[in-house]
């Protein structure tokens, strides 16, 4: 049986990075937000054994290093199923672009396998498998607006933000996430010898800022309609000073990404940020018209840009199978 599924992207609204932990990971705090941009997957379970991955993008690995492969291997075992798994990945999202494409592909593989086999894992088992494969995977088992803590794999559903118009810019720049973490550690040691306690204080301040933003308490202005609420939240986001820590090390090494952020702000973005460690930069706009106009202007300046929207949790789960 073959099952088709969409694999949606995410952006990070703020990303606070704490000190390196004993296990080698960093403590993180972020708000994940799913957006409508997506890849398409077709997952087939046939007679035989093994896993095969096919893709229209040569940059997608087709061996055990692929997150879809690792998920399929674990999922088949957890579902106590046999068969040959063939995964067709039709890429539209950038590879290693900070939009969580590979992680989303892996979760889409799990969901498609469940549907193809007519079996379903308990939610806690799904989350366990997802966290084993990668830090960004569990958020795609929730969708919408999601709080991520720990190394990013501890996820909690937040009240959905209203639909926000968004422009995603994907420059053809390669950013290594491990290198970005290492550069951030080196920078902190050099400029202030930050202790774990100092960075923890920063995380706590960020947590309070995020809470203020999500509750709409920064401006204190009540929002009457969905559109008013979206605009108020954008103002709150700016006033709360929510930032992505990776920008402090990625932008100096890739000044063209800083230029993209400035271009988005100049084009009318109420808020712009790097997503993850990049290279994707996004902007949030107050209207669809502004977002489309900005995407057209940036694309004309050789900055690959597309206008899209954020997805609520309900929209995320509804659109997966359409």
């Amino acid at each position: 049986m073959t099952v088709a599924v969409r694999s949606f992207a995410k952006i990070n609204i703020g990303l606070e990075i704490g000190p390196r932990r004993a296990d080698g990971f960093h403590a993180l705090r972020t708000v994940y937000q799913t957006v409508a941009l997506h890849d398409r997957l077709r997952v087939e379970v046939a007679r035989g054994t093994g896993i095969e991955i096919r893709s229209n993008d040569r940059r997608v690995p087709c061996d055990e290093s692929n997150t879809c492969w690792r998920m399929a291997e674990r999922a088949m075992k957890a579902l106590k199923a046999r068969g040959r798994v063939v995964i067709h990945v039709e890429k539209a999202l950038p590879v290693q672009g900070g939009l969580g494409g590979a992680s989303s592909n892996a979760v889409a593989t799990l969901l498609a396998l469940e549907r193809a086999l007519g079996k379903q894992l308990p939610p806690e088992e799904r989350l366990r498998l997802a966290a084993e494969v990668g830090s960004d995977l569990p958020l795609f088992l929730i969708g919408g607006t999601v709080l991520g803590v720990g190394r990013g794999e501890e996820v909690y559903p937040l009240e959905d933000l209203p639909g926000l118009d968004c422009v995603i810019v994907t420059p053809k720049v390669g950013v290594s996430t491990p290198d970005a973490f290492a550069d951030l550690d080196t920078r902190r040691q050099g400029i202030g010898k930050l202790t774990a306690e100092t960075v923890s204080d920063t995380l706590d301040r960020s947590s309070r800022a995020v809470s203020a933003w999500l509750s709409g308490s920064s401006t204190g202005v009540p929002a009457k309609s969905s559109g008013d609420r979206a605009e108020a939240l954008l103002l709150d986001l700016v006033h709360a000073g929510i930032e992505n820590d990776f920008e402090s090390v990625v932008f100096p090494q890739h000044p063209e990404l800083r230029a993209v952020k400035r271009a988005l702000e100049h084009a009318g973005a109420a808020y712009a940020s790097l997503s993850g460690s990049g290279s994707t930069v996004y902007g949030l706009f107050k209207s669809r018209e502004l977002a489309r106009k900005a995407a057209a202007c940036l694309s004309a300046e050789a900055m690959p840009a597309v206008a899209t929207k954020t997805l609520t949790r309900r929209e995320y789960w509804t659109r997966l199978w359409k």
Side-chain angles (χ1 to χ4, degrees):
M1 180 180 179
T2 301
V3 174
V5 61
R6 285 192 172 105
S7 173
F8 291 105
K10 62 81 181 172
I11 55 175
N12 294 84
I13 302 179
L15 176 56
E16 289 285 350
I17 303 169
R20 187 184 295 273
R21 309 186 310 192
D23 61 4
F25 292 99
H26 289 73
L28 305 178
R29 183 170 288 122
T30 187
V31 174
Y32 297 115
Q33 176 62 56
T34 50
V35 298
L37 295 184
H38 61 275
D39 293 333
R40 294 178 184 270
L41 272 69
R42 286 182 293 113
V43 179
E44 177 185 359
V45 180
R47 291 182 179 179
T49 59
I51 300 169
E52 180 181 357
I53 296 178
R54 304 170 185 172
S55 178
N56 64 325
D57 191 323
R58 293 182 179 180
R59 295 171 298 171
V60 175
C62 294
D63 57 14
E64 295 92 337
S65 65
N66 191 302
T67 53
C68 295
W69 182 300
R70 301 205 303 271
M71 176 58 80
E73 189 174 48
R74 286 169 171 78
M76 291 295 282
K77 184 177 180 180
L79 291 164
K80 298 179 180 178
R82 294 182 179 180
R84 178 172 180 77
V85 179
V86 182
I87 305 166
H88 304 256
V89 183
E90 184 181 333
K91 290 298 291 184
L93 302 175
V95 176
Q96 297 181 334
L99 293 175
S103 299
S104 179
N105 290 171
V107 170
T109 296
L110 168 61
L111 298 175
L113 280 174
E114 288 184 334
R115 180 164 286 201
L117 295 166
K119 299 181 179 182
Q120 188 169 311
L121 294 172
E124 60 274 13
E125 181 71 0
R126 280 179 170 180
L127 287 168
R128 184 188 67 79
L129 291 180
E132 281 184 6
V133 176
S135 299
D136 278 357
L137 271 71
L139 82 96
F140 293 106
L141 288 170
I142 297 179
T145 308
V146 182
L147 175 66
V149 295
R151 56 181 169 86
E153 90 290 3
E154 294 180 37
V155 289
Y156 303 92
L158 296 170
E159 180 183 354
D160 272 324
L161 301 180
L164 296 171
D165 290 284
C166 184
V167 172
I168 304 289
V169 186
T170 53
K172 294 181 179 179
V173 176
V175 177
S176 165
T177 300
D179 287 351
F181 274 117
D183 291 343
L184 189 59
D185 289 338
T186 300
R187 178 177 180 274
R188 286 172 169 173
Q189 291 169 3
I191 64 173
K193 297 183 179 179
L194 277 86
T195 63
E197 289 78 12
T198 302
V199 180
S200 293
D201 288 343
T202 302
L203 286 170
D204 288 340
R205 287 195 298 273
S206 170
S207 180
R208 290 193 292 272
V210 169
S211 296
W213 167 57
L214 291 170
S215 65
S217 62
S218 296
T219 61
V221 179
K224 298 179 181 179
S225 68
S226 177
D228 291 340
R229 181 170 174 245
E231 186 166 347
L233 278 166
L234 288 174
L235 290 172
D236 287 333
L237 180 55
V238 174
H239 292 166
I242 307 299
E243 297 180 342
N244 181 334
D245 280 352
F246 274 131
E247 291 186 4
S248 65
V249 291
V250 172
F251 282 176
Q253 292 199 18
H254 303 281
E256 58 269 51
L257 299 183
R258 180 190 283 115
V260 171
K261 178 176 178 177
R262 288 174 177 169
L264 280 165
E265 292 171 338
H266 183 72
Y271 177 81
S273 174
L274 192 70
S275 184
S277 62
S279 58
T280 295
V281 184
Y282 69 88
L284 300 177
F285 289 77
K286 296 178 182 178
S287 73
R288 180 181 300 180
E289 181 181 358
L290 281 174
R292 288 180 173 175
K293 186 177 296 184
C297 290
L298 269 64
S299 295
E301 296 294 327
M303 300 181 195
V306 61
T308 186
K309 289 207 67 162
T310 61
L311 291 177
T312 64
R313 193 161 300 116
R314 181 175 182 179
E315 289 171 331
Y316 175 81
W317 285 101
T318 300
R319 297 187 188 183
L320 276 176
W321 309 107
K322 289 187 177 180

